């Protein structure tokens, strides 16, 4: 797993690459981070899909990590490391983590199933009530929508992404904006007004090859916003 500082942003990250990561791997991972930051700035913050994302972004409190995992077991190991690191660090230094997995979880339903393992891991680490894991996926699909429904884009990121959140940060966000459901409804309206062409014009897709971009959203069974989570940085 590689952690890289994104270009042109103040968001926190570890030194350029782990000693084990070959140069080409680190170079590819840098593209993953840059793509994710571009999506965050242009879509999540630019369209105000999450009112709380701009604060942690400008304060440099988002940590970006790129997993080299090619299967669920390896991704779960990387997730455990990132959960441990987030729990041990102060919120002022690192409020939230985005863990991107460009080489696995191409199928959205497989990714959706993986989230159960992620929740079980949080509980097994005694981090329930302290941290939680949300998600984004290039083929994200809400239940009852077609794969090309533009509203699915509210939860679509360039790569399969696990969002590690602090429960305390979520609680503070809810105090500021108690009607979280209103955020979801507004986001649907924004995406419908923007349309597919408008979303495409944002140019927030993946530049590095990613299996998820060749995988169709195979059914219409997506996950709804169980926690009202449609953005970065509770």
């Amino acid at each position: 797993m590689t952690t890289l500082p994104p270009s042109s942003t103040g968001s926190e990250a570890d030194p350029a690459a782990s000693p084990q990561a070959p140069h080409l791997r680190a170079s590819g991972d840098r593209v993953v981070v840059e793509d994710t930051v571009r999506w965050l700035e242009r879509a999540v913050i630019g369209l105000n899909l999450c009112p709380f994302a701009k604060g942690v972004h400008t304060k440099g409190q988002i940590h970006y990590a790129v997993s080299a995992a090619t299967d669920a077991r390896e991704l779960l190991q990387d997730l455990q490391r990132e959960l441990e690191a987030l729990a041990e660090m102060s919120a002022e230094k690192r409020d939230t983590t985005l863990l991107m997995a460009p080489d696995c979880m191409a199928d959205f339903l497989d990714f959706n199933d993986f989230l159960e393992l992620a929740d079980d891991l949080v509980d097994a680490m005694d981090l329930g009530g302290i941290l939680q894991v949300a998600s984004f996926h290039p083929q994200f699909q809400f239940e009852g929508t077609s794969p090309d429904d533009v509203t699915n884009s509210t939860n679509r990121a360039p790569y399969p992404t696990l969002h590690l959140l602090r429960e305390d940060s979520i609680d503070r966000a809810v105090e500021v904006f108690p009607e979280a459901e209103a955020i979801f409804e507004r986001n649907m309206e924004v995406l419908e007004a923007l349309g597919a062409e408008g979303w495409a014009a944002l140019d927030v897709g993946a530049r590095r090859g990613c299996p998820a971009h060749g995988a169709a959203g195979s059914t219409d069974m997506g996950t709804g916003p169980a926690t009202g989570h449609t953005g970065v940085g509770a």
Side-chain angles (χ1 to χ4, degrees), residues 107-223:
D107 184 85
F108 172 59
L109 293 185
D110 289 343
F111 186 64
N112 207 35
D113 290 342
F114 177 84
L115 298 181
E116 294 185 19
L117 299 178
D119 290 340
D120 290 343
L121 177 61
V122 170
D123 290 338
M125 296 175 66
D126 293 325
L127 292 175
I130 300 172
L131 301 179
Q132 69 169 246
V133 180
S135 63
F136 301 94
H137 193 276
Q139 302 294 337
F140 182 93
Q141 189 174 340
F142 286 113
E143 183 177 1
T145 66
S146 62
D148 59 355
D149 190 319
V150 70
T151 60
N152 292 318
S153 299
T154 61
N155 286 53
R156 287 184 175 177
Y159 307 93
T161 300
L162 298 171
H163 184 194
L164 285 57
L165 295 139
R166 297 178 186 271
E167 294 279 5
D168 286 348
S169 296
I170 296 173
D171 292 342
R172 288 194 299 271
V174 170
E175 290 177 2
V176 174
F177 203 110
E179 300 298 329
E181 186 65 21
I183 298 175
F184 173 72
E185 296 298 334
R186 176 199 169 276
N187 288 349
M188 297 298 101
E189 295 173 358
V190 168
L191 267 296
E192 288 172 351
L194 186 67
E197 290 187 5
W199 177 262
L202 293 176
D203 188 23
V204 292
R207 292 177 297 159
R208 184 190 142 175
C210 175
H213 293 280
S218 51
T219 77
D220 63 358
M221 292 178 61
T223 56

